Amino acid sequence: MIMLKSVRLINPATRTDEICDILIAEQKVIKIGEALALDARLIARAKGEVLRVLDCSGLCAAPGLVDGHVHFRDPGQTHKEEIATGAGAAAAGGFTSVVCMANTIPTIDNEETIVSVIRKGRMTPIHVYCCAAVTKGLQGKELVDMKLMKECGAVGFTDDGRPLLGEELVKEAMSRARRLKLPLSFHEEDPRFVKDPGVNSGPAAERLGLTGADRRAEIEMVERDCRLAGETGATVVIQHISAAESVEIVRKAKRAGVRVFAEATPHHFSLTEEAVSLYGSNAKMNPPLRTEADRGAIIEGLKDGTIEMIATDHAPHAKNEKDRPFREAPSGIIGLETAFSLGLMNLVEPGHLTLLQLISRMSTEPAKLYGLDAGVIREDAPADLILFDTERRWAYLAPKSKSTNSPWLGKSLKGKILLTLCGGRVAHEDTQTLAPRWLPTGTRMKPDELLTND
């Protein structure tokens, strides 16, 4: 039984931003209120649990973050990441729910593999969900048994890492997904316009002696998939949007009533193509970092709701892989442990988003899209929540992830996740910071505090 005293509650689903107390027992939030007291009913519900009281003055609580786009590399590439280590990184970053992509080895396109991933996820301290592939083996030729994949636990479908090129195949996939009421997520890069993946076509690529990836690779496919979504009525997600034109296409499609959603990564709203000169292959990703104008357009999209979700595209790689020459190094960076800080520093502090809006983009909206019981703090709901300090600076020195491929490694960041509760259980705790704030073990409320304030 945990009482969070005098905490600033940031709760987008109820538009709440206020100081209150939160009482947690039986893995649920059982009471939210101002100067909360314990009455006989609440004590009875705790079933003899020891009461722990945390002084949260100056701290914020919010729903556990939800990441709709992660790669945990399990099965097949566990030298980069495992479900257990990925979940540990997620918890440290404040995420209580994540959705794994299907491009594992073997691909998550069959019952055995998806059941194995979900089973391993249940052994972690957070909720690990899974998308199934759209096509068998990510080959873009034959659709998976989408109905079976949903029955096995898939919360969506994606061939992320590879674009779907055949228009008729895409239309059929959209039609099936619509009937199953699950989203389809698209990696939008037409290979015809990608000469050298991972870097934008422009000055940064030229300095590396490369042609790079032209923005048309994304724009044309976003345009196609928004059109097809309108024709089929499917729910589609434009993954890791990177170009200003793509943002505008999605904006217009939404105005026309198309069920299109979009996600932005922290690296795309924080960095530009110039980062490859500073960080080398740790700034290489697909789609690539683009121009300052593109970064600004992504921020505008997050501001006006064109882009509803922030997703990390957490993509771990072994150090020896990233240490190869730029052209040979794999694309992708890790992001679970730094995402909240980057959102705070690059979106909230400059005034682009409020803290309420940031939490909505990182929790409430992705939970709604995937139909997860998450993204809100309410009485009798699962106690999936985070406690954080917006002012606390910290150094990103020792990732919980198995990999270290991040441009922010060794950097000082602002906004620290201090406590992650998932199902009322501690998934992550900054014990050094919180230890002085816990009342001594065994402390009981005073007799006069056992009266209800109802």
Side-chain angles (χ1 to χ4, degrees):
M1 189 176 188
I2 297 174
M3 173 83 82
L4 304 180
K5 294 288 292 182
S6 303
V7 70
R8 179 185 173 192
L9 175 59
I10 308 295
N11 201 11
T14 57
R15 298 185 181 275
T16 300
D17 184 348
E18 63 185 16
I19 305 298
C20 65
D21 298 343
I22 303 173
L23 183 64
I24 298 162
E26 298 179 297
Q27 302 178 34
K28 294 182 178 181
V29 174
I30 63 172
K31 193 72 172 176
I32 303 171
E34 185 178 351
L36 192 63
L38 300 179
D39 65 9
R41 291 170 298 168
L42 299 182
I43 295 170
R45 285 194 61 177
K47 295 180 180 178
E49 293 182 27
V50 174
L51 173 64
R52 301 181 69 205
V53 181
L54 184 64
D55 173 14
C56 298
S57 53
L59 305 180
C60 300
L65 305 182
V66 178
D67 194 341
H69 189 156
V70 303
H71 300 269
F72 280 178
R73 308 300 192 197
D74 191 351
Q77 294 180 304
T78 52
H79 65 288
K80 302 172 187 268
E81 193 77 283
E82 300 175 46
I83 291 172
T85 57
F95 291 92
T96 55
S97 299
V98 298
V99 180
C100 292
M101 297 295 98
N103 59 340
T104 52
I105 304 172
T107 304
I108 301 175
D109 60 4
N110 61 85
E111 181 176 359
E112 181 181 0
T113 305
I114 191 170
V115 168
S116 173
V117 169
I118 292 172
R119 185 180 296 119
K120 287 183 180 179
R122 288 175 181 156
M123 298 171 66
T124 74
I126 67 167
H127 306 296
V128 177
Y129 300 96
C130 191
C131 278
V134 180
T135 65
K136 293 182 179 180
L138 306 180
Q139 294 301 303
K141 297 177 181 178
E142 182 181 359
L143 296 178
V144 302
D145 186 336
M146 298 173 83
K147 183 174 181 292
L148 174 62
M149 291 295 96
K150 179 181 179 179
E151 291 170 352
C152 289
V155 297
F157 301 96
T158 181
D159 272 13
D160 179 51
R162 298 189 186 183
L164 281 168
L165 301 177
E167 185 164 320
E168 290 305 311
L169 183 79
V170 171
K171 287 179 70 173
E172 179 60 25
M174 286 186 179
S175 296
R176 294 189 191 184
R178 179 183 56 80
R179 290 194 294 271
L180 293 170
K181 299 180 179 180
L182 289 182
L184 275 168
S185 298
F186 289 97
H187 182 118
E188 306 288 42
E189 282 194 299
D190 189 327
R192 293 178 302 165
F193 303 106
V194 179
K195 303 303 181 184
D196 302 294
V199 60
N200 184 47
S201 289
E206 291 171 6
R207 286 195 293 271
L208 292 169
L210 303 174
T211 303
D214 194 286
R215 61 200 306 105
R216 288 178 297 167
E218 177 177 283
I219 296 165
E220 295 201 4
M221 296 199 72
V222 170
E223 197 167 46
R224 180 202 70 178
D225 290 335
C226 285
R227 172 174 56 83
L228 294 180
E231 293 174 6
T232 62
T235 298
V236 303
V237 180
I238 306 302
Q239 296 179 302
H240 38 47
I241 200 164
S242 71
E245 295 89 340
S246 302
V247 177
E248 185 58 27
I249 293 167
V250 170
R251 185 178 285 117
K252 290 179 179 178
K254 285 176 177 291
R255 289 172 181 164
V258 178
R259 285 190 55 78
V260 59
F261 298 81
E263 60 180 44
T265 71
H267 40 277
H268 283 110
F269 66 66
S270 298
L271 300 172
T272 70
E273 61 185 341
E274 295 305 314
V276 299
S277 298
L278 297 172
Y279 307 113
S281 63
N282 279 338
K284 180 180 181 180
M285 66 278 297
N286 301 330
L289 301 169
R290 300 198 191 273
T291 67
E292 179 61 26
D294 293 306
R295 189 180 81 89
I298 290 168
I299 291 172
E300 286 301 313
L302 287 165
K303 288 171 67 173
D304 68 16
T306 298
I307 304 172
E308 298 91 345
M309 299 173 291
I310 293 171
T312 67
D313 190 13
H314 178 79
H317 292 292
K319 188 176 185 302
N320 67 308
E321 296 168 332
K322 275 293 193 177
D323 284 346
R324 297 169 187 164
F326 190 93
R327 189 193 294 269
E328 300 170 17
S331 293
I333 63 172
I334 57 175
L336 284 164
E337 297 170 71
T338 55
F340 175 75
S341 289
L342 295 174
L344 184 70
M345 295 165 63
N346 296 314
L347 298 176
V348 176
E349 290 202 332
H352 302 306
L353 297 184
T354 65
L355 191 54
L356 201 69
Q357 289 172 322
L358 177 66
I359 297 300
S360 177
R361 307 292 188 269
M362 296 189 74
S363 179
T364 310
E365 291 301 324
K368 284 165 55 177
L369 174 72
Y370 287 104
L372 310 181
D373 190 7
V376 61
I377 297 177
R378 65 173 183 271
E379 293 178 2
D380 290 318
D384 293 358
L385 59 87
I386 56 173
L387 189 69
F388 57 90
D389 185 343
T390 59
E391 298 301 316
R392 188 173 182 83
R393 299 203 70 90
W394 62 286
Y396 185 43
L397 300 176
K400 302 292 184 184
S401 171
K402 219 172 188 181
S403 295
T404 59
N405 52 308
S406 167
W408 290 282
L409 189 67
K411 302 292 185 182
S412 174
L413 302 174
K414 188 177 181 182
K416 187 74 167 67
I417 302 294
L418 302 177
L419 183 69
T420 302
L421 296 179
C422 188
R425 297 188 176 95
V426 175
H428 165 76
E429 181 179 354
D430 183 338
T431 54
Q432 184 175 3
T433 302
L434 292 184
R437 288 176 171 265
W438 289 103
L439 271 66
T441 303
T443 294
R444 300 292 179 177
M445 304 297 283
K446 297 176 182 177
D448 59 345
E449 291 179 316
L450 297 179
L451 301 174
T452 180
N453 64 336
D454 292 341

